[in-house]
Amino acid sequence: MTTLLQKSPIDRTVLSNGIVVLVTENPAADIIAARIFVRAGSCCETREQAGLAHLLSAVMTKGCDGLSSLEIAEKVESVGASLSADTSTDYFLLSLKTVTSDFPEILALAGQIVRSPTFPETQVELERRLALQDIRSQKEQPFTIAFDQLRQVMYQDHPYAMSVLGDETTMSRLTRADLVNYHQTYFRPDNIVISVAGRITSAGALKLVTDIFGDWQATTTAPPIQNFPDIKSKPQHQIKPLQTQQSIVMLGYLAPSVSSPDYAALKLLSTYLGNGLSSRLFVELREKQGLAYEVSAFYPTRLFPASFVVYMGTAPENTSIALQGLRTEVELLSHTEVSTDAFQAAKNKILGQYALGKQTNGQIAQVFGWYETLGLGIEFDQKFPEMIADVQVQDTIAAAHQYLQAPYLSLVGPEAAINSAIA
């Protein structure tokens, strides 16, 4: 049954096999973009198989039933289309974009890839070697080292503790059989969201998706239920001595998922603190005090408990004062009202960036498919700006008081500098 939501340009249909189809008609340009989401990302891996979803995304487009990697590439490139696969903590994603006339052919190809990948052994081995190179190169990047050790100490046994790439040990032992098993377990129609945006009618898109995916039937076995361990870690610090030109100082706070009533207030605080050249951290710690090479804050939207992170890259001799500066700025949020002008500026910034993030068909397909996959519903697109607009200063103080009190600390830099900072 198709339901057209009030004030929404999106048609949402659930096929008989469980696939959710979202269609946004946008005839402005002769282009169609689609996103095929699978409700399975790196959070569905065991710790022993960390990196499995990433490896699957890398190999997914390298062969499917009846087509080699080269043949797939030729089909896509011969019409100037794009097709790629990616994975995140909470979902797998196949993205495609074509001119309108080529959309049926490329969507059909995407259907073959999603339903019948072959995972050729030579491609598995190649992509595993490339992933191992990425893992090793990240060991030389101070920010990545700092974030990895922060994530591990915060999340411990929870899947969010691991990098999407896994580590050298887990990536090295992944096999083609592991990819096949993961695909058979999670790639099923009742676990799929297909979001389409562009010059196509809802009826036309629905017919195409039904023709390509409608005969795909799920097994009678229910998809696995994720039972993640509770996060019981206590704030502590992790240090990594490294001979670098700067120290990375990073504070992390366990924060709620996107479904929390405090999500909007924390999103606004993240924007106020560390989003852009006018943000509080940039002005106070870089412009006024000259402490930071780079400084920022982020609070990602997650299906499960997220992390609220502030960080700074600073000269090694400034490590201690930089740490104190970051802590002070976050602590202020719990007992000091943000000025009316700064508060409204943060709201304007986040709402403006949100609107600008939905200009292209690809962005539109991404946003609505993502919301559906996270279980928020496509109406969240309307709710989010309202939630931000409704946040009051006292809401941010209450959220900061609840979540931003006891930080986890991650330091990377010259040994003497980081040891003195925690002395």
Side-chain angles (χ1 to χ4, degrees):
M1 181 179 71
T2 303
T3 304
L4 184 61
L5 296 180
Q6 187 176 11
K7 298 182 182 178
S8 173
I10 315 302
D11 269 319
R12 180 183 185 274
T13 303
V14 182
L15 302 186
S16 59
N17 59 5
I19 292 178
V20 178
V21 184
L22 309 175
V23 185
T24 309
E25 294 186 39
N26 182 21
D30 187 28
I31 293 172
I32 301 177
R35 299 289 188 268
I36 302 175
F37 288 84
V38 183
R39 296 184 185 92
S42 62
C43 63
C44 294
E45 305 163 343
T46 63
R47 177 160 296 242
E48 295 72 29
Q49 292 188 327
L52 178 57
H54 169 81
L55 184 59
L56 182 140
S57 71
V59 182
M60 193 87 179
T61 58
K62 301 303 192 305
C64 62
D65 193 18
L67 293 173
S68 68
S69 176
L70 179 59
E71 288 168 331
I72 290 173
E74 287 176 341
K75 276 181 171 287
V76 174
E77 293 171 9
S78 67
V79 295
S82 65
L83 188 150
S84 61
D86 195 12
T87 195
S88 74
T89 53
D90 295 330
Y91 59 83
F92 172 92
L93 179 65
L94 190 71
S95 305
L96 59 110
K97 181 174 70 173
T98 77
V99 296
T100 303
S101 59
D102 296 320
F103 182 66
E105 177 187 357
I106 300 302
L107 184 65
L109 175 61
Q112 286 179 267
I113 291 170
V114 168
R115 296 178 61 173
S116 307
T118 50
F119 305 125
E121 285 280 11
T122 54
Q123 295 292 337
V124 173
E125 181 56 33
L126 172 61
E127 295 299 337
R128 181 169 49 229
R129 287 202 305 269
L130 292 173
L132 286 169
Q133 289 177 15
D134 287 344
I135 292 168
R136 290 169 189 138
S137 71
Q138 288 190 356
K139 290 182 177 180
E140 301 173 0
Q141 301 170 17
F143 173 86
T144 303
I145 296 169
F147 187 51
D148 280 351
Q149 66 180 12
L150 179 72
R151 188 172 50 215
Q152 288 171 21
V153 75
M154 289 178 72
Y155 286 103
Q156 297 189 344
D157 294 329
H158 191 282
Y160 280 2
M162 295 295 287
S163 164
V164 173
L165 285 170
D167 58 33
E168 286 189 76
T169 301
T170 60
M171 181 59 69
S172 295
R173 62 189 176 207
L174 294 175
T175 67
R176 179 183 181 278
D178 295 328
L179 299 178
V180 171
N181 183 63
Y182 187 96
H183 180 267
Q184 289 177 344
T185 302
Y186 295 104
F187 282 64
R188 44 188 292 158
D190 51 358
N191 214 25
I192 301 282
V193 175
I194 300 177
S195 180
V196 180
R199 186 176 288 180
I200 190 168
T201 65
S202 294
L206 189 59
K207 182 180 187 308
L208 271 178
V209 172
T210 303
D211 288 346
I212 295 166
F213 295 92
D215 64 340
W216 189 12
Q217 296 303 313
T219 62
T220 55
T221 306
I225 297 174
Q226 303 301 325
N227 292 312
F228 298 138
D230 292 334
I231 302 169
K232 298 179 179 178
S233 60
K234 295 182 179 180
Q236 53 190 286
H237 66 258
Q238 289 288 307
I239 64 174
K240 175 70 174 179
L242 196 69
Q243 280 307 117
T244 59
Q245 298 296 313
Q246 62 176 308
S247 295
I248 299 294
V249 181
M250 189 174 289
L251 302 178
Y253 304 80
L254 278 172
S257 72
V258 65
S259 59
S260 167
D262 296 314
Y263 168 78
L266 288 169
K267 205 72 175 174
L268 193 57
L269 283 179
S270 173
T271 298
Y272 164 73
L273 267 185
N275 184 336
L277 305 185
S278 62
S279 65
R280 172 77 184 189
L281 295 180
F282 192 93
V283 171
E284 294 295 323
L285 301 181
R286 179 183 165 101
E287 295 295 287
K288 292 184 179 180
Q289 300 183 45
L291 291 174
Y293 298 131
E294 57 177 328
V295 62
S296 190
F298 56 91
Y299 169 49
T301 299
R302 292 287 181 263
L303 191 57
F304 302 104
S307 51
F308 189 106
V309 177
V310 295
Y311 74 93
M312 184 193 304
T314 190
E317 62 270 20
N318 290 332
T319 304
S320 295
I321 191 171
L323 171 58
Q324 187 55 49
L326 279 177
R327 294 196 68 153
T328 297
E329 290 300 332
V330 177
E331 288 167 2
L332 281 172
L333 301 175
S334 299
H335 53 76
T336 303
E337 288 192 4
V338 177
S339 72
T340 301
D341 288 347
F343 191 68
Q344 189 59 49
K347 285 189 175 186
N348 294 343
K349 184 186 296 184
I350 196 170
L351 292 175
Q353 290 174 342
Y354 185 74
L356 290 172
K358 297 185 297 177
Q359 294 188 96
T360 69
N361 288 327
Q363 291 171 328
I364 293 167
Q366 175 75 27
V367 164
F368 288 106
W370 182 42
Y371 288 159
E372 179 70 32
T373 302
L374 291 182
L376 300 170
I378 55 178
E379 60 271 17
F380 191 76
D381 178 60
Q382 298 169 29
K383 286 174 58 179
F384 178 73
E386 295 169 1
M387 289 161 54
I388 294 296
D390 288 344
V391 174
Q392 303 298 311
V393 171
Q394 290 303 317
D395 298 329
T396 62
I397 292 177
H401 186 75
Q402 181 172 353
Y403 298 104
L404 307 182
Q405 292 300 308
Y408 297 77
L409 169 63
S410 178
L411 292 173
V412 174
E415 188 168 8
I418 61 177
N419 282 336
S420 67
I422 60 172

